[in-house]
Amino acid sequence: MEKVTIKNITAQLLDIPIKRPHQFSAVKVSSKSFVLLKVELSNGIIGIGEGTTPGIFWNGESVETMKLVIDQYVTPLLLDQDPVLTEALLQKMNRQIRGNYFAKATVEMALLDALGKWYNIPVHQLLGTLHKDKIPVRWALASGTPEGDIEEAKEYVTSGKYDNFKTKSGKEAPEDDAKRSIRIAEGIRAHSTIGIDPNGSWDRLTSMKWMGDFFDAGIDFLEQPLPPQDVEGLARLAAMKKVPIMADESASTIDDAMRLAKADAADIFSLKIHKAGGMKNTIKVAGIAEASGISCFGGTSLESSIGTAACVHAYASIPNLDYGSELFGPDWLADDPVKEPVTIKDGYIYVPDKPGLGVELDEEKVSAYLRQ
Ligand code: MN
């Protein structure tokens, strides 16, 4: 039998509109950019991967840097190599290219999609076995006003689409942010809860001051209140035993996870396949959490159905995913570059069961959103 090799790799940039502008702590966005990666094997099978970041403010990578790193540095390492030795290829990338985890995760995604299609099994079977066949999803409230957010939450709960929420903060002064979050939490507490995510924009004293009020308002978790490097500050907040502290930007790689676990700096890790450098690394992060008594939450970089499918394959195999997920990306985008989007209904996202990632590209949509 002739040996199968990696024959061709292409990375394209797509810009897909979103349903309404989204306010992060640092920036407001009205469309989302993606790297669409295709890895073609010598047997004709094409694996797809999707790279996207919340924004360059998040970890320093952007779709443009990902495309450059892949075209210039990853492709020469992978061409003519044996795709079955995926782990060896990933280690080779790690030795030769420092950082750039979002780019590496995109490559891993396309390789595993190709292998899954070749072996005729879903990616979750390449990663291990499933713990669940669907996982809970929370929606991010971002209407712009507390009243609007409370109204939006009630509509979702009534329609049954989503019943738990997250709110972004960090645009206003920390003090005003805290008060706004408490108002929203109190407005919806009869039927659901929220977690707060200031994306590292608060300081230690503000966070400490409001922890008791957050607890009283029934807030589910406080995600990454402090800058990514302030692990000691997170440890102090966690030691207060008020609202559970979730680490996101601070808990990117497996090394970060170990450092946080040793410092007792988080009650929950937000997982993200891109920041960890791929699905396999994400499962390793969850393993460190499991051994340390830390819960996991399935985070998002706001992927389309391609990247979201990759997230679900990984997250659904994790036993300590106690806080569900925020995999609402496909619902937040105004369009999706696949023929059939992943299924999100009644507050859950379902694990795709077709070979590979389980989603099929819609080439017409890809051409429509291709960056010129
Ligand atoms: Mn976050």
Side-chain angles (χ1 to χ4, degrees), residues 200-255:
S201 64
W202 290 1
D203 55 86
R204 288 189 187 187
L205 290 178
T206 308
S207 308
M208 282 178 189
K209 181 177 160 193
W210 289 95
M211 289 288 277
D213 292 303
F214 292 154
F215 179 78
D216 293 340
I219 285 170
D220 242 5
F221 56 78
L222 179 57
E223 175 176 345
Q224 197 68 47
L226 306 177
Q229 68 281 4
D230 192 7
V231 170
E232 297 75 13
L234 289 181
R236 285 209 196 178
L237 295 179
M240 292 173 76
K241 300 287 170 233
K242 290 288 186 185
V243 176
I245 296 296
M246 182 186 292
D248 185 7
E249 284 90 330
S250 295
S252 290
T253 63
I254 51 175
D255 313 273

Side-chain angles (χ1 to χ4, degrees), residues 58 166 168 197 199 223 248-249 272:
W58 207 91
K166 229 176 91 162
K168 282 285 174 186
D197 184 5
N199 281 113
E223 175 176 345
D248 185 7
E249 284 90 330
K272 281 188 177 141

Side-chain angles (χ1 to χ4, degrees), residues 14 24 33 36 41 45 49 52-53 77 84 129 211 254 293 345 356 360 369:
L14 306 183
F24 286 96
S33 302
L36 173 63
L41 307 184
I45 284 171
T52 191
T53 78
L77 292 180
V84 172
T129 56
M211 289 288 277
I254 51 175
K345 66 167 201 242
E360 200 187 333
Y369 297 121

Side-chain angles (χ1 to χ4, degrees), residues 62-334:
S62 68
V63 292
E64 294 83 9
T65 67
M66 281 188 257
K67 177 170 161 50
L68 181 128
V69 167
I70 292 169
D71 287 344
Q72 191 82 24
Y73 301 102
V74 175
T75 300
L77 292 180
L78 299 190
L79 285 181
D80 301 323
Q81 301 298 308
D82 180 353
V84 172
L85 297 172
T86 303
E87 185 64 30
L89 296 175
L90 297 174
Q91 293 302 329
K92 191 166 153 187
M93 276 198 301
N94 281 336
R95 275 197 310 277
Q96 304 215 13
I97 305 163
R98 189 179 155 108
N100 292 284
Y101 298 105
F102 282 64
K104 289 170 181 170
T106 307
V107 174
E108 186 217 41
M109 200 187 298
L111 285 170
L112 293 184
D113 183 46
L115 288 182
K117 284 171 175 164
W118 179 13
Y119 300 159
N120 208 26
I121 55 171
V123 163
H124 63 75
Q125 286 192 27
L126 289 168
L127 297 171
T129 56
L130 284 182
H131 183 260
K132 313 164 181 71
D133 58 8
K134 60 175 184 177
I135 53 182
V137 184
R138 7 177 122 222
W139 175 255
L141 300 169
S143 72
T145 65
E147 295 71 28
D149 284 356
I150 293 166
E151 201 46 47
E152 182 175 304
K154 283 181 180 160
E155 278 166 24
Y156 274 128
V157 170
T158 308
S159 73
K161 178 110 198 183
Y162 293 104
D163 51 15
N164 282 300
F165 305 95
K166 229 176 91 162
T167 174
K168 282 285 174 186
S169 54
K171 187 171 78 92
E172 303 161 62
E175 193 91 5
D176 297 331
D177 254 347
K179 288 181 192 158
R180 183 177 58 91
S181 305
I182 290 168
R183 262 179 79 191
I184 300 169
E186 285 174 342
I188 65 171
R189 75 181 301 167
H191 44 79
S192 49
T193 62
I194 59 162
I196 314 172
D197 184 5
N199 281 113
S201 64
W202 290 1
D203 55 86
R204 288 189 187 187
L205 290 178
T206 308
S207 308
M208 282 178 189
K209 181 177 160 193
W210 289 95
M211 289 288 277
D213 292 303
F214 292 154
F215 179 78
D216 293 340
I219 285 170
D220 242 5
F221 56 78
L222 179 57
E223 175 176 345
Q224 197 68 47
L226 306 177
Q229 68 281 4
D230 192 7
V231 170
E232 297 75 13
L234 289 181
R236 285 209 196 178
L237 295 179
M240 292 173 76
K241 300 287 170 233
K242 290 288 186 185
V243 176
I245 296 296
M246 182 186 292
D248 185 7
E249 284 90 330
S250 295
S252 290
T253 63
I254 51 175
D255 313 273
D256 291 341
M258 197 66 197
R259 179 173 169 222
L260 285 159
K262 280 185 176 167
D264 286 326
D267 302 296
I268 312 163
F269 286 165
S270 171
L271 308 173
K272 281 188 177 141
I273 58 170
H274 284 95
K275 70 178 180 181
M279 292 176 257
K280 290 190 68 178
N281 279 347
T282 298
I283 292 168
K284 291 180 193 173
V285 166
I288 293 170
E290 187 180 1
S292 315
I294 294 170
S295 292
C296 290
F297 173 66
T300 181
S301 299
L302 296 166
E303 295 90 350
S304 80
S305 279
I306 303 169
T308 300
C311 295
V312 193
H313 283 291
Y315 300 164
S317 71
I318 292 169
N320 51 327
L321 195 84
D322 307 319
Y323 279 77
S325 80
E326 55 175 355
L327 293 176
F328 60 81
D331 256 1
W332 174 81
L333 289 166

